[in-house]
Amino acid sequence: MVFSGIIDVLASPEVWLWSIGGTAIGIVFGAIPGLSATMAMALFLPLSFGLEPVIGCTFLLGLYVGGISGGCISAILLKIPGTPASMCTVWDGGPMADRGEAGKAIGVSVLYSFIGGTLSGVAMIALSPILAGFALKFSPFEYCSIAVMSLVIIAALAGSSMINGLLSGLLGLLVACMGASPVGFVPRLVFNNSNLLSGISVIALMIGQFAIAEIINAVDDKGHGREKRSYKIKGFGIDFKEFTSQIWNCLRSTVIGIFIGILPGLGANTSSVLAYSVAQSSSKYPEKFGTGVIDGIVASESANNGNTGGALIPMLCLGVPGNTNAALLLAALTVQGISPGPLIFSKYGSLVYSIFTAFLLANLIMLILEWKVTNVFIKILDIPNYILYPFIGMLCMVGAFADNNREFDVLLSVAVGVVVYFLAHFKFAATPFVIGTIIGPIFEKNLGYALSNSGGSLLPFITRPISLIFLLIALAATLYVAYNNLKHKNTVLRDNEK
Amino acid sequence: MNNRTKDISSSLLFLVLSGVGFLICKSKVDEGTTLSLHPYMMPMVILGFMTVLCVLRLILAVRMQKDKNDKAEKIITLKAALTLLMLIAYSQLFTRLGFVITSALYMFFQMLIIGSGKKNYLFMAILSIIGSVTVYIIFVYALSVMLPQGVLPI
């Protein structure tokens, strides 16, 4: 069963071709802002119906893996995440590209995407039933606590002022409240606009924050604005010492990605945000995050690719998809007459191991493809700003419109870009704002369920051990930052007195 | 605006918005039943926290000592303002004129704004048209992503 499943993938040239094609298309979709792995899988899903199950799944997995990892390319080169999951990669990848280290940034992203994805594949193979069972223990209380922890850590560590970070995060949470409430579906903060009933589109938010705001900033740059250096890199751009220094960061972030992937409804962007915030809070140099350190890229890319395998675990074992991509794969299997669930290993064991093998193969192909074409991608930086940015602006409008085919989303992305531009001008970090918009719906929905379960009591947040751990981490991070700020202030005062 | 003025003005603006918002949400919550399940609970709590933080920020900003090295800077430059207006116009005309025409116009004028020194207007115009048509063809016909056709019969 195991052997036949593996052979079905590795010994078939046809499967290899579909995997290469799927991964390549996925990378393209992932790299273009506004398009995504989900869109690629949705577009090509009907194509998979006419293929044999192994080939169809291989193709879709290639789109999935390529799409998630492809986002790092535009995140680093253009400072615009190709997919929401690569948002955190912008924060350090962008500054690295500005310093002429684009090749290194992409090399690191590709390498750690591969490592994160492969480790999640191994976890999927070895631990599927156990991990799926563990995920069932998570209740809305734990989901809420995870959301609080992510937001508080990011807000506390973003920018020079914790108050500004918290205000920015709260503003993001407020924007996330626009639309129908998750409990009761009551319209609120929609200002009589029916387009806001479904809330703010994540794609429009992302395009607005990263692309539109960046374009407005870029118009004042004279010349290219980026340091020109040789982009050729040796290997993946990091030496053995750097690689070993990132082992723990990579493993921790991958585990976070797998873990978040198993929990339905959170998604790869949540895992990369959480991994980034944990990496920053536990780093010896948290103040360097956001200025161009590889730690941030390692955390983000390990987590978002770790999420890919994690999301497939509950889909295969329980029939519950971990995210929208897993849901599309579930649809493909269902159409083929295969029902994922507890009996899948006994009924379709060979196919399951084919899926595992195809997943690992897609990660390998992604590594080779992205690594080999890095030098081609980097040529984008040689394009003068006055040509590059208008093209980016146009592609962003395409991306914003393509999400829901609504003109309103295009206007919304411009509006978000303006808000973020002025937030930055008044020294509000934009990062907590975006995190707040992503975390907000997760937090509120689960808070509603949690309070319904507990009869309005907040006590279970503290009495449930896992929830308590997350909240304590959030508190510890806040106190640590406050202590550091106070220490810095006292040092400055003492120096002034001297 | 120097940093102190920025902090004070932004704190006041946020304070007014969050304070008014909090009162509006509270009035809606008062009409409802169980606080924990009310749709306006979350916005009310958020706005409440924002109001408190804004007050704190305002106090810190007022107490901030004036720094002689703190230079005033513009809120927005002319180029940035023009870009902003163009993006708004782009978003409004996107479905009316269609993707190709709107994108070509946007790209041309954006190139004019960003570019410095001697400009090759013909090159910019040709590039804008080719770029918008190419993207339209790729997305609509190759990737099956719908884009507004507008007034052009393509």
Side-chain angles (χ1 to χ4, degrees):
Chain A
M1 179 176 74
V2 174
F3 188 68
S4 71
I6 295 170
I7 290 296
D8 282 345
V9 170
L10 296 181
S12 167
E14 197 182 355
V15 172
W16 276 81
L17 283 173
W18 280 100
S19 186
I20 292 169
T23 309
I25 294 171
I27 291 171
V28 170
F29 268 77
I32 297 175
L35 304 186
S36 62
T38 309
M39 191 182 284
M41 289 177 79
L43 280 173
F44 289 99
L45 184 65
L47 179 64
S48 73
F49 297 157
L51 300 170
E52 286 177 23
V54 171
I55 295 177
C57 288
T58 302
F59 182 61
L60 289 174
L61 284 169
L63 291 172
Y64 182 25
V65 169
I68 293 294
S69 67
C72 70
I73 296 166
S74 52
I76 291 165
L77 297 179
L78 305 176
K79 293 195 215 171
I80 303 164
T83 62
S86 297
M87 189 170 55
C88 300
T89 307
V90 175
W91 300 335
D92 284 290
M96 281 185 75
D98 287 343
R99 286 203 302 261
E101 293 178 318
K104 180 175 179 177
I106 293 183
V108 167
S109 296
V110 169
L111 176 63
Y112 285 95
S113 293
F114 169 72
I115 295 173
T118 304
L119 287 176
S120 77
V122 169
M124 188 172 50
I125 295 166
L127 302 170
S128 281
I130 301 167
L131 291 175
F134 180 68
L136 290 174
K137 291 191 168 65
F138 269 61
S139 71
F141 296 100
E142 281 74 28
Y143 276 78
C144 269
S145 301
I146 289 173
V148 166
M149 183 181 74
S150 303
L151 188 58
V152 167
I153 290 176
I154 285 284
L157 292 168
S160 55
S161 162
M162 194 170 15
I163 293 179
N164 285 1
L166 286 170
L167 269 173
S168 184
L170 286 170
L171 185 63
L173 284 176
L174 189 65
V175 167
C177 289
M178 296 171 92
S181 62
V183 180
F185 299 103
V186 173
R188 55 184 187 185
L189 305 178
V190 296
F191 309 107
N192 289 327
N193 189 331
S194 58
N195 290 305
L196 285 172
L197 282 174
S198 53
I200 303 280
S201 156
V202 174
I203 300 291
L205 264 172
M206 194 184 67
I207 287 172
Q209 189 214 0
F210 292 101
I212 305 297
E214 182 68 18
I215 290 170
I216 300 173
N217 277 322
V219 294
D220 290 325
D221 263 355
K222 291 176 173 55
H224 288 200
R226 287 185 170 178
E227 192 175 332
K228 262 195 151 175
R229 280 193 199 175
S230 169
Y231 298 131
K232 285 185 182 168
I233 52 168
K234 195 177 169 189
F236 292 99
I238 57 170
D239 54 34
F240 186 70
K241 191 179 168 192
E242 279 177 311
F243 179 77
T244 50
S245 71
Q246 296 298 322
I247 287 175
W248 174 236
N249 183 12
C250 171
L251 287 174
R252 181 186 56 218
S253 302
T254 304
V255 167
I256 289 173
I258 294 170
F259 178 69
I260 297 292
I262 295 171
L263 301 176
L266 293 180
N269 37 348
T270 307
S271 63
S272 68
V273 163
L274 186 58
Y276 189 93
S277 57
V278 170
Q280 188 178 14
S281 63
S282 57
S283 170
K284 290 175 190 166
Y285 38 85
E287 70 284 354
K288 288 189 181 175
F289 276 67
T291 64
V293 288
I294 61 170
D295 307 56
I297 298 176
V298 170
S300 172
E301 292 299 318
S302 301
N304 69 25
N305 276 75
N307 186 276
T308 54
L312 297 179
I313 293 172
M315 189 276 287
L316 287 171
C317 299
L318 304 171
V320 175
N323 59 19
T324 47
N325 305 98
L328 289 164
L329 197 59
L330 176 66
L333 289 171
T334 306
V335 165
Q336 299 276 1
I338 299 157
S339 304
L343 299 176
I344 196 170
F345 282 90
S346 55
K347 280 175 137 181
Y348 308 102
S350 178
L351 175 65
V352 172
Y353 283 96
S354 292
I355 289 174
F356 292 159
T357 311
F359 180 81
L360 292 172
L361 180 65
N363 273 283
L364 180 64
I365 291 171
M366 176 272 295
L367 173 77
I368 296 168
L369 283 178
E370 286 192 3
W371 183 39
K372 285 298 173 190
V373 297
T374 295
N375 286 332
V376 174
F377 288 136
I378 287 172
K379 293 291 180 194
I380 293 173
L381 293 180
D382 288 335
I383 300 172
N385 276 359
Y386 80 93
I387 294 175
L388 182 62
Y389 280 104
F391 262 95
I392 292 171
M394 178 178 59
L395 285 176
C396 289
M397 295 304 172
V398 172
F401 183 80
D403 189 32
N404 293 311
N405 286 329
R406 292 189 313 189
E407 181 189 84
F408 179 76
D409 286 337
V410 179
L411 182 61
L412 187 65
S413 63
V414 174
V416 169
V418 170
V419 167
V420 169
Y421 174 79
F422 283 109
L423 278 179
H425 183 77
F426 287 102
K427 297 185 295 175
F428 287 95
T431 307
F433 171 74
V434 174
I435 303 307
T437 56
I438 292 171
I439 298 288
I442 297 168
F443 174 70
E444 192 185 0
K445 183 179 72 175
N446 286 286
L447 183 65
Y449 294 151
L451 292 177
S452 291
N453 289 344
S454 65
S457 169
L458 295 174
L459 212 54
F461 282 104
I462 307 169
T463 56
R464 294 178 72 93
I466 300 173
S467 170
L468 179 63
I469 289 169
F470 289 133
L471 292 176
L472 286 175
I473 292 171
L475 181 65
T478 313
L479 291 173
Y480 173 74
V481 170
Y483 169 73
N484 270 347
N485 286 346
L486 194 64
K487 198 170 143 187
H488 175 71
K489 197 178 167 187
N490 287 339
T491 309
V492 169
L493 282 170
R494 264 205 305 274
D495 289 343
N496 287 341
E497 279 168 12
K498 283 178 188 172
Chain B
M1 264 192 195
N2 59 29
N3 285 333
R4 188 169 176 269
T5 313
K6 276 187 204 174
D7 283 355
I8 292 174
S9 56
S10 58
S11 298
L12 278 172
L13 177 66
F14 270 104
L15 182 59
V16 166
L17 289 173
S18 56
V20 168
F22 175 80
L23 292 172
I24 293 173
C25 289
K26 190 165 185 319
S27 68
K28 290 190 185 292
V29 168
D30 288 341
E31 295 164 11
T33 53
T34 315
L35 177 67
S36 62
L37 298 175
H38 198 283
Y40 277 87
M41 178 201 74
M42 179 84 162
M44 188 182 83
V45 168
I46 292 167
L47 287 162
F49 274 117
M50 282 180 75
T51 306
V52 169
L53 285 172
C54 285
V55 169
L56 195 57
R57 190 169 184 263
L58 184 61
I59 293 169
L60 289 172
V62 167
R63 288 177 63 185
M64 191 196 296
Q65 288 179 357
K66 286 182 187 175
D67 185 357
K68 287 176 189 173
N69 296 325
D70 189 5
K71 291 179 186 171
E73 53 183 43
K74 288 182 193 172
I75 294 176
I76 187 167
T77 62
L78 177 63
K79 281 187 174 182
L82 285 172
T83 297
L84 197 58
L85 287 171
M86 269 202 325
L87 285 167
I88 293 171
Y90 189 359
S91 64
Q92 292 298 294
L93 296 171
F94 194 67
T95 51
R96 288 166 185 76
L97 292 182
F99 173 79
V100 173
I101 294 176
T102 324
S103 299
L105 285 170
Y106 163 74
M107 285 177 63
F108 178 73
F109 287 110
Q110 186 73 84
M111 286 183 199
L112 278 181
I113 292 175
I114 295 179
S116 55
K118 196 177 172 187
K119 294 165 189 166
N120 187 337
Y121 298 107
L122 184 61
F123 171 71
M124 287 180 187
I126 292 171
L127 194 59
S128 302
I129 294 168
I130 292 175
S132 58
V133 170
T134 306
V135 167
Y136 183 84
I137 290 170
I138 290 172
F139 276 84
V140 173
Y141 295 106
L143 300 177
S144 302
V145 174
M146 286 175 59
L147 291 173
Q149 183 184 344
V151 299
L152 284 179
I154 50 171

